[in-house]
Amino acid sequence: MIVQSRYGLTEVAMLEDGLLTEFYTDRPAERRLVGSIYKAKIENVLPGMQAAFVQIGLEKNAYLYIDDLLPANLTKVPEVKPSIAELIKPGDELIVQVSKEPLGTKGARVTTHFSIPGRWIVYMPNADYVGVSRKIGSEAERTRLKQIAEEIRQPGEGLIIRTVAEGESSEALESDLQFLRGEWNEIMKQGETAKPPAVLYREPDVLERMVRDAFNEQVDELVIDDAAKGKAMMELVSSISADLAGRIRIYRDREPIHQAYKVREQLEKAMRRKIWLKSGGYLVLDRTEALTVIDVNTGKYTGKDDPEATVFTTNAEAADEIARLLRLRDIGGIVLVDFIDMEDESHRSEVAARLTQAFSRDRTKAFAVGWTKLGLMEITRKKARESLDDAFMETCSCCGGSGKVPVGRSSAGGK
């Protein structure tokens, strides 16, 4: 985990075997909204859409769907959904949490299914159920953690046991729960007197979030170029694990840290439309309003005597790179991949399996849905925030984002 902090900007990069896999930036003036809790006011109710627009203090009103207003526990949801107009009306005040960032012309999405993440658990004050991360492989450990959660939660509370809780004691989980429960009680206390729109809770900054969510035993080292922030992170982590605190190192060399670890170089290459593979093949990645399309090509790689083997090698390498790019650029929604045609069915299955294996390392839910009738691989990845493309790039004023400009003379309209 490489952290660069300068000019009021904190950037966190995750490297796996020297390869850039995640990149997050946090400008104080552009704090992310997901996870923030507001005292809101209902502006408009649309029964035909089963949705409402609510004012949380942003330029665009947020939207609230009926499903985000009904109970989080599915067993408590009525069989026949009522009209949203029966539950809320314009002028009502309620507490909501942002579940999706504003994207493009859409405002933020909000919910009343509250969740506050801690180190070991996610606290859901009104969910009334216990869940355990599916990434914990041992069934015995899953059962143990679920039993602990059932014992420490109060009636009506919901808990999700996070992957990093594997092997932790009941005391550690209970301490985490007590802290989160205290935060929730403070939020509710503020909500009683606050006048909407008002912020009741904000998620920590990018560095604290990454330390909380991703700094675990699988991370060899956290290197940071800001001594003050580094010491603060050491103090924070030491209360959790002395071993992890010992893995935090202050970077003191003259060369900028992202340059030393080739973070900026890798990021610039990954943001291009055409991305070369080590074998000599390449990908072409295009994004549209509705989906992302990726084309796989053999390029300079011609293999030896077996064309099928050449195609499979390129597709297998492309599968790993595609999973990395979606994760790094934080591309969500529908993704269609046009792999090079493979005649061997076992090769098609192995490419799909490689995608699934690569997605298991992604902290955002991503799935290789399968091959379409046209032979395209369909992928879905949860979209919760602005992608790096949207954050770091803007539409070209000359071509309008098409990548093409009119030629000087044309047979269609030129003289």
Side-chain angles (χ1 to χ4, degrees):
M1 189 179 293
I2 311 300
V3 184
Q4 178 172 280
S5 181
R6 52 172 57 188
Y7 312 123
L9 176 67
T10 300
E11 296 176 322
V12 182
M14 293 286 287
L15 302 179
E16 294 179 4
D17 298 323
L19 202 60
L20 183 63
T21 57
E22 296 182 38
F23 186 85
Y24 302 93
T25 183
D26 192 18
R27 297 175 177 85
E30 300 176 13
R31 292 287 295 274
R32 81 170 201 162
L33 298 177
V34 168
S36 298
I37 297 177
Y38 295 82
K39 179 75 170 290
K41 184 176 182 180
I42 305 297
E43 291 285 330
N44 194 15
V45 178
L46 306 174
M49 296 179 61
Q50 285 286 63
F53 288 100
V54 302
Q55 175 57 257
I56 61 174
L58 303 179
E59 183 180 349
K60 297 176 184 175
N61 285 339
Y63 59 97
L64 172 69
Y65 285 129
I66 181 71
D67 290 342
D68 290 316
L69 193 57
L70 294 172
N73 192 319
L74 295 178
T75 62
K76 297 183 179 181
V77 176
E79 292 185 11
V80 179
K81 289 183 184 179
S83 168
I84 193 169
E86 297 175 26
L87 304 177
I88 54 176
K89 63 182 184 299
D92 284 353
E93 299 178 359
L94 77 164
I95 297 176
V96 296
Q97 183 172 35
V98 177
S99 60
K100 185 177 289 187
E101 297 280 348
L103 295 172
T105 59
K106 294 182 179 179
R109 179 171 176 173
V110 295
T111 181
T112 59
H113 302 167
F114 303 100
S115 62
I116 305 176
R119 175 67 179 176
W120 315 120
I121 66 176
V122 176
Y123 179 62
M124 303 174 294
N126 305 317
D128 198 20
Y129 70 86
V130 169
V132 180
S133 169
R134 294 179 182 177
K135 293 186 178 180
I136 298 177
S138 168
E139 193 59 39
E141 177 64 2
R142 289 170 58 85
T143 301
R144 182 186 77 89
L145 291 170
K146 187 169 184 178
Q147 183 177 349
I148 292 173
E150 292 285 7
E151 291 172 354
I152 64 177
R153 76 181 181 111
Q154 295 176 354
E157 290 181 332
L159 306 179
I160 293 178
I161 306 301
R162 308 185 69 174
T163 307
V164 290
E166 186 171 5
E168 288 300 323
S169 66
S170 59
E171 290 78 14
L173 298 182
E174 186 168 15
S175 175
D176 203 21
L177 173 58
Q178 288 177 352
F179 174 78
L180 295 173
R181 188 183 286 147
E183 280 203 322
W184 174 249
N185 290 336
E186 182 61 29
I187 290 168
M188 295 304 292
K189 183 178 179 181
Q190 290 183 47
E192 291 176 0
T193 56
K195 294 183 179 180
V199 180
L200 304 180
Y201 168 84
R202 284 194 188 279
E203 272 274 86
D205 63 26
V206 66
L207 179 55
E208 284 191 44
R209 286 201 313 273
M210 289 297 290
V211 167
R212 180 194 68 194
D213 297 342
F215 189 44
N216 51 40
E217 284 70 21
Q218 281 73 52
V219 178
D220 297 321
E221 193 175 34
L222 187 158
V223 189
I224 181 170
D225 64 357
D226 186 305
K229 288 186 177 181
K231 291 176 182 177
M233 289 302 103
M234 288 179 188
E235 293 178 4
L236 176 66
V237 175
S238 62
S239 62
I240 301 169
S241 166
D243 176 55
L244 285 179
R247 300 185 191 188
I248 299 176
R249 178 168 66 86
I250 309 298
Y251 180 83
R252 302 185 187 280
D253 293 353
R254 288 188 176 183
E255 185 180 21
I257 188 170
H258 276 181
Q259 186 174 327
Y261 285 89
K262 295 181 169 54
V263 171
R264 190 64 56 182
E265 176 186 329
Q266 292 191 55
L267 186 62
E268 289 175 355
K269 289 181 179 179
M271 297 296 288
R272 295 172 184 169
R273 178 174 179 261
K274 187 175 183 178
I275 298 106
W276 286 96
L277 303 174
K278 289 183 179 179
S279 65
Y282 65 90
L283 311 175
V284 176
L285 189 151
D286 287 305
R287 296 187 63 206
T288 72
E289 191 75 22
L291 49 81
T292 298
V293 180
I294 302 175
D295 186 35
V296 183
N297 300 275
T298 52
K300 303 173 185 176
Y301 180 60
T302 56
K304 295 183 179 179
D305 300 324
D306 186 350
E308 177 70 14
T310 300
V311 167
F312 171 67
T313 299
T314 305
N315 282 341
E317 185 182 359
D320 294 336
E321 182 66 0
I322 286 166
R324 183 183 78 96
L325 289 173
L326 296 182
R327 181 180 170 193
L328 173 58
R329 292 169 63 163
D330 210 358
I331 295 173
I334 300 171
V335 180
L336 291 179
V337 183
D338 187 7
F339 283 103
I340 308 165
D341 290 340
M342 293 172 284
E343 295 180 2
D344 191 329
E345 189 60 37
S346 67
H347 285 170
R348 286 164 57 89
S349 298
E350 189 164 342
V351 167
R354 286 185 76 132
L355 271 174
T356 299
Q357 176 61 31
F359 286 150
S360 68
R361 297 189 292 272
D362 195 336
R363 293 185 298 119
T364 298
K365 291 181 181 178
F367 300 96
V369 179
W371 302 97
T372 70
K373 291 182 179 180
L374 295 177
L376 304 175
M377 170 58 70
E378 184 179 0
I379 296 169
T380 62
R381 188 172 185 274
K382 185 177 179 181
K383 183 188 295 184
R385 71 184 185 107
E386 185 180 50
S387 70
L388 281 189
D389 298 45
D390 297 326
F392 287 172
M393 306 175 78
E394 60 183 23
T395 302
C396 173
S397 59
C398 294
C399 72
S402 69
K404 298 179 180 180
V405 295
V407 294
R409 300 168 66 92
S410 86
S411 58
K415 294 182 178 179

